[in-house]
Amino acid sequence: MKIAFLNPQGNFDSLDSHWTDHPDFGGQLVYVKELAIAMASLGIDVDIITRRIVDEEWPEFSESFDSYPGVGGVRIVRMEFGGLKFLPKEKLWKHLKDYVVEIEKLYEKEGEFPSFVTAHYGDGGIAAAILNFKRDIPFSFTAHSLGAQKMDKLGITLENFHEFDQIYNFSYRIPAERVSMRYSTINFVSTRQERFEQYSHPLYRGWIEVEDDSKFAVVPPGVNTGIFSPVPSELDEEINERYNYTVTSYSTDRLEKPVIISSSRIDPKKNISGLLKAYLSDSELVETANLLIVTRGISNVYSDYNVLRNEASEVLKKLVSLIDEHNARNKVFFMNISNQWELAALYRIASRKGGVFALTSLYEPFGLAPLEAMACGLPVVATRNGGPSEFLKRHGVEYGVLIDPENTASIANGLKRLILDKDFNRELTARISEYVGKYYSWKATARGYLEVIEEKMKHRNEVPEIPEFFLTGGEAPSLF
């Protein structure tokens, strides 16, 4: 069976270029790549269909076909539409009809169309709906994020809608999402909360019924267990030496203490300051364990935090201020970790020290980071708001500790439960990596997709009604 992944806004290449330094290269690219590779390992032929760019500033995307080294069964296919220069994702809407035409030309030339399409983000969704309208190829929709939630976060009102619409093109995005979720054979979501909270937004009313089980499948994204694993690597010793140097630079007597690790974007929503306050407020916790805050691209937070973007800089400034108020530079440490391999090594080191991973976000849509730590055998304390509440307890069994991120005592008590109760810590360490491998690997994600796809291919949905402006590349009428 051949499955096509439609992802017109995401630019894929063999080296995963620009994944951390451009807003158009976010988490959905990791999702699509890892899911495609996992499907291929199960015997599926996969095409990731994206956009060809011939632009000296973006040389990685000029070839029509590409692949991942050492991976069979996955082809990166780049379609020429919207010109040859790089375009931000918000500028692609008018060109999606041409994207679909190029897809048709490719498969007509090759003599075989895909059996099924998985569509990603709203632009991939509307492209899949157009292809379904023209060729009757069934498709699934994975939104990754929905425009209505972005509008809410931006504080959009009737009065300022036009101003924001000029930038984000919600008058295209919302109709694209409506058509995608209505006419797809299935909507894949990562959690039940995503289904019931995001798809129930008033802007989607009449297009999708969140109570309709036939329209939704909860299939969590996966952990790359080739990287995040309890099995030691050669890198462990190097990262351990780096950790030892970080600690002894400020304190020579805290090396053997358990370590609480915070590793997330330096973002106010991640509530790292709430974690720091909880740690510093509890003398028993401070006496028993170190707190390590992972940074990326900044080696000395105390002198260099202002080189980061404004929001991250402000968060770090607040953290440094709190640390200095408590004279705690010998208890709270920062460490620059460059990539996932280093992060996995750090998690294994922390696990051997009886440590904990802490994620105290105010809200976490899914929570892949805690699962990555768990895959390495590091027990987790995580926010109860969002995805972690669905995977840290399963069938009544605890696989970590949930806390209220807005309650300092709840955070501190959750940390102490795992730091002080060494038997419970060891018990979790012994079983959480196997748990992640069974339910939250990318291969498990791929199996979840394929089980649903194989069932849905037996049926056909109604023929999509596509808004005329998507078929002509014309102007979308204002959403309001």
Side-chain angles (χ1 to χ4, degrees):
M1 178 166 64
K2 179 186 281 290
I3 294 178
F5 284 58
L6 299 198
N7 199 292
Q9 70 158 277
N11 299 98
F12 298 81
D13 73 302
S14 60
L15 299 177
D16 303 332
S17 304
H18 310 290
W19 275 19
T20 61
D21 58 9
H22 194 280
D24 283 12
F25 293 75
Q28 65 154 307
L29 273 70
V30 180
Y31 185 109
V32 167
K33 175 191 172 181
E34 296 292 351
L35 178 57
I37 291 173
M39 280 191 180
S41 75
L42 297 174
I44 305 298
D45 288 328
V46 178
D47 283 344
I48 300 174
I49 307 181
T50 182
R51 181 168 177 261
R52 183 172 179 240
I53 300 168
V54 183
D55 186 328
E56 61 184 14
E57 295 185 21
W58 305 87
E60 304 88 353
F61 313 118
S62 62
E63 298 298 324
S64 296
F65 298 96
D66 203 348
S67 61
Y68 294 108
V71 175
V74 178
R75 183 172 66 161
I76 300 170
V77 183
R78 302 191 183 102
M79 296 299 172
E80 199 170 298
F81 67 102
L84 294 176
K85 297 299 182 182
F86 177 84
L87 290 175
K89 59 182 182 290
E90 291 83 8
K91 302 296 184 183
L92 294 177
W93 295 106
K94 292 182 180 181
H95 306 292
L96 293 176
K97 62 178 180 57
D98 301 319
Y99 173 63
V100 175
V101 168
E102 293 303 311
I103 292 172
E104 290 182 286
K105 288 180 181 177
L106 170 72
Y107 291 121
E108 284 173 348
K109 181 180 179 181
E110 294 185 345
E112 181 186 9
F113 277 76
S115 305
F116 196 89
V117 164
T118 77
H120 298 267
Y121 193 78
D123 50 8
I126 192 64
I130 296 171
L131 189 61
N132 179 257
F133 172 76
K134 298 172 76 173
R135 297 283 178 168
D136 194 30
I137 301 173
F139 72 99
S140 64
F141 179 50
T142 309
H144 298 282
S145 66
L146 287 169
Q149 277 70 37
K150 187 175 182 73
M151 289 174 63
D152 290 346
K153 289 175 184 176
L154 291 170
I156 291 177
T157 63
L158 288 175
E159 290 72 28
N160 64 19
F161 175 77
H162 179 72
E163 174 189 347
F164 281 101
D165 199 31
Q166 295 290 106
I167 302 169
Y168 296 107
N169 281 316
F170 289 113
S171 289
Y172 288 93
R173 181 173 178 177
I174 300 299
E177 291 171 342
R178 288 168 171 170
V179 170
S180 302
M181 61 181 67
R182 176 169 181 168
Y183 294 107
S184 61
T185 63
I186 196 73
N187 293 281
F188 285 109
V189 293
S190 297
T191 64
R192 285 176 52 82
Q193 285 187 332
E194 181 184 345
R195 169 183 169 180
F196 286 103
E197 293 181 11
Q198 295 192 36
Y199 283 77
S200 63
H201 194 282
L203 283 176
Y204 306 119
R205 193 167 293 149
W207 292 88
I208 190 75
E209 176 51 64
V210 295
E211 300 295 339
D212 184 356
D213 290 340
S214 70
K215 289 294 293 184
F216 289 93
V218 178
V219 180
V223 171
N224 186 334
T225 52
I227 297 175
F228 294 98
S229 160
V231 179
S233 75
E234 294 179 1
L235 196 56
D236 288 23
E237 184 176 348
E238 177 187 328
I239 297 302
N240 190 50
E241 289 177 2
R242 201 189 303 173
Y243 172 77
N244 290 347
Y245 175 79
T246 298
V247 173
T248 55
S249 295
Y250 293 93
S251 173
T252 57
D253 61 354
R254 295 182 68 93
L255 266 183
E256 300 309 314
K257 292 185 182 295
V259 56
I260 301 162
I261 292 181
S262 168
S263 177
S264 66
R265 289 194 318 276
I266 307 299
D267 182 309
K269 295 189 287 292
K270 296 297 182 180
N271 193 35
I272 304 170
S273 62
L275 170 64
L276 178 59
K277 287 175 184 176
Y279 172 78
L280 294 173
S281 71
D282 193 294
S283 58
E284 188 175 18
L285 201 52
V286 169
E287 176 62 29
T288 307
N290 299 327
L291 176 60
L292 180 69
I293 300 170
V294 170
T295 58
R296 290 170 177 80
I298 179 168
S299 297
N300 189 330
V301 165
Y302 294 111
S303 62
D304 298 337
Y305 63 80
N306 58 349
V307 305
L308 297 181
R309 289 179 296 185
N310 289 339
E311 196 171 65
S313 179
E314 285 302 311
V315 171
L316 289 174
K317 182 178 180 181
K318 184 176 181 180
L319 298 180
V320 169
S321 177
L322 275 169
I323 292 166
D324 286 344
E325 281 176 23
H326 289 80
N327 193 28
R329 290 196 185 190
N330 62 337
K331 303 173 183 69
V332 182
F333 308 98
F334 295 93
M335 190 166 166
N336 180 18
I337 294 293
S338 301
N339 55 56
Q340 290 188 315
W341 298 99
E342 291 186 353
L343 190 60
L346 180 63
Y347 289 159
R348 286 189 290 270
I349 291 160
S351 176
R352 291 196 289 271
K353 292 178 178 291
V356 173
F357 176 89
L359 182 72
T360 54
S361 308
L362 299 176
Y363 179 81
E364 194 65 31
F366 179 66
L368 198 56
L371 286 166
E372 290 173 342
M374 292 164 67
C376 297
L378 181 61
V380 162
V381 170
T383 179
R384 69 184 186 186
N385 299 335
S389 66
E390 297 191 22
F391 61 72
L392 287 185
K393 276 193 176 181
R394 190 181 183 96
H395 306 311
V397 179
E398 276 189 304
Y399 293 94
V401 176
L402 293 167
I403 52 87
D404 178 354
E406 298 185 85
N407 185 311
T408 299
S410 176
I411 298 173
N413 290 336
L415 293 169
K416 286 198 293 185
R417 187 175 171 208
L418 280 173
I419 291 292
L420 301 181
D421 189 343
K422 297 186 184 302
D423 288 339
F424 184 43
N425 189 299
R426 282 192 291 265
E427 177 194 335
L428 286 181
T429 294
R431 58 188 169 88
I432 52 180
S433 58
E434 182 180 354
Y435 168 70
V436 172
K438 182 175 181 180
Y439 295 107
Y440 296 100
S441 67
W442 281 112
K443 192 165 281 190
T445 306
R447 288 194 186 102
Y449 261 73
L450 291 173
E451 286 174 8
V452 176
I453 287 170
E454 286 167 3
E455 174 59 32
K456 291 298 180 180
M457 284 178 64
K458 300 173 185 175
H459 313 284
R460 283 292 185 269
N461 279 20
E462 59 185 316
V463 177
E465 293 184 18
I466 310 295
E468 187 67 21
F469 55 87
F470 283 119
L471 296 174
T472 63
E475 293 292 331
S478 178
L479 194 60
F480 298 110

